[in-house]
Amino acid sequence: MVMVFPLNSRIRRNSAIRLGLTGLTAAILSACAAPPPPAEPYDPYEKTNRAFHSVNLGLDKALVRPSSKAYGAIIPAPVKTGVSNFASNLDLPGDAVNGALQGNPERFVTNVLRFAVNSTIGIGGLFDPAGAMGVHQSKTDFGETLHVWGVGEGAYVELPGIGPSTVRDTVGTAVDVVANPVRLVLPTPESYYATAAKVGSKLGDRDRYSETIDSVLYDSADSYAQARLLYLQNRRFELGQKAEDGGDSFIDPYEE
């Protein structure tokens, strides 16, 4: 009985320290909030971006679009679901690390728990028992981490073979690829399976959203401007941002 009171006191003290550190982290991160994006797209590299957009259109028309249609038509639905689950599972360690870097313990714990459950009970992530338990992926990336740290989005860029981005998100994508914990741990040939799963998942997404993507790329009066508009609007929505004027980021020039 003598040891109960010191132990409880120690637990309370440790809890107070953890709460204090969490509050301090939140305060620091809130002080580093990224500046609001401009009301108009900042696109100083438009000439180069349009050239890369033409390259990406050609790649989509000649390779990505027909490959995605073949993937959608040939691969059975359960297999496509398994590939998508496996690819998403590979992203969870990176999501967890970024959650920690963002000072978001809930995001960190959720992604770690989901990865642990799906990697074991879900047979390497092919199945999604964590989702059935209500533990869903809290998706993030290093671009969002930079945003939390106060880095502005920078200029709009379109990357060959990748598509729309910003300077901040380009840096974030590079860091996510190079520093992904799964990539650093997986040996050969398992790393090839991971790459193949990511490609298959992207083809599945291209096929699933083909109607919307085709309307942007092939039915728009200016597919470059439309892709830029939609990317920036969606990305800013994900980050909870509004433009400098406090309203919507842009007015859709193709809206009826």
Side-chain angles (χ1 to χ4, degrees), residues 23-217:
L24 179 61
T25 301
I28 292 172
L29 292 177
S30 64
C32 298
E40 297 295 327
Y42 178 50
D43 191 1
Y45 312 120
E46 182 169 352
K47 184 176 180 180
T48 302
N49 287 336
R50 284 186 177 274
F52 286 147
H53 182 74
S54 296
V55 171
N56 289 335
L57 271 179
L59 286 173
D60 184 78
K61 187 177 294 185
L63 180 62
V64 178
R65 187 168 181 263
S67 297
S68 70
K69 287 186 175 296
Y71 180 86
I74 296 172
I75 305 299
V79 175
K80 286 188 286 188
T81 299
V83 169
S84 179
N85 288 342
F86 181 70
S88 295
N89 197 59
L90 294 174
D91 289 336
L92 289 171
D95 291 338
V97 170
N98 278 303
L101 293 174
Q102 293 162 16
N104 189 330
E106 182 179 355
R107 172 170 277 172
F108 172 78
V109 171
T110 297
N111 286 320
V112 168
L113 178 60
R114 181 176 170 82
F115 182 73
V117 171
N118 282 356
S119 296
T120 52
I121 303 174
I123 312 177
L126 291 175
F127 302 97
D128 185 17
M133 299 175 186
V135 182
H136 301 289
Q137 182 177 15
S138 182
K139 196 162 182 60
T140 186
D141 51 59
F142 194 71
E144 182 171 359
T145 299
L146 292 174
H147 162 73
V148 171
W149 289 354
V151 178
E153 71 180 19
Y156 174 81
V157 293
E158 178 150 350
L159 304 174
I162 296 176
S165 186
T166 61
V167 170
R168 179 182 62 201
D169 286 341
T170 299
V171 173
T173 298
V175 171
D176 283 331
V177 170
V178 172
N180 187 297
V182 174
R183 177 186 175 277
L184 297 175
V185 169
L186 280 181
T188 304
E190 284 82 357
S191 60
Y192 299 148
Y193 303 153
T195 300
K198 296 294 288 184
V199 171
S201 179
K202 293 296 184 184
L203 289 176
D205 289 342
R206 177 63 178 88
D207 178 61
R208 188 178 307 112
Y209 304 112
S210 61
E211 185 174 343
T212 300
I213 295 172
D214 287 349
S215 70
V216 172
L217 295 182

Side-chain angles (χ1 to χ4, degrees), residues 224-238:
Y224 171 77
Q226 183 74 333
R228 179 182 63 189
L229 167 78
L230 294 176
Y231 174 80
L232 291 175
Q233 282 186 333
N234 182 65
R235 184 56 167 165
R236 292 170 183 181
F237 175 79
E238 290 176 344

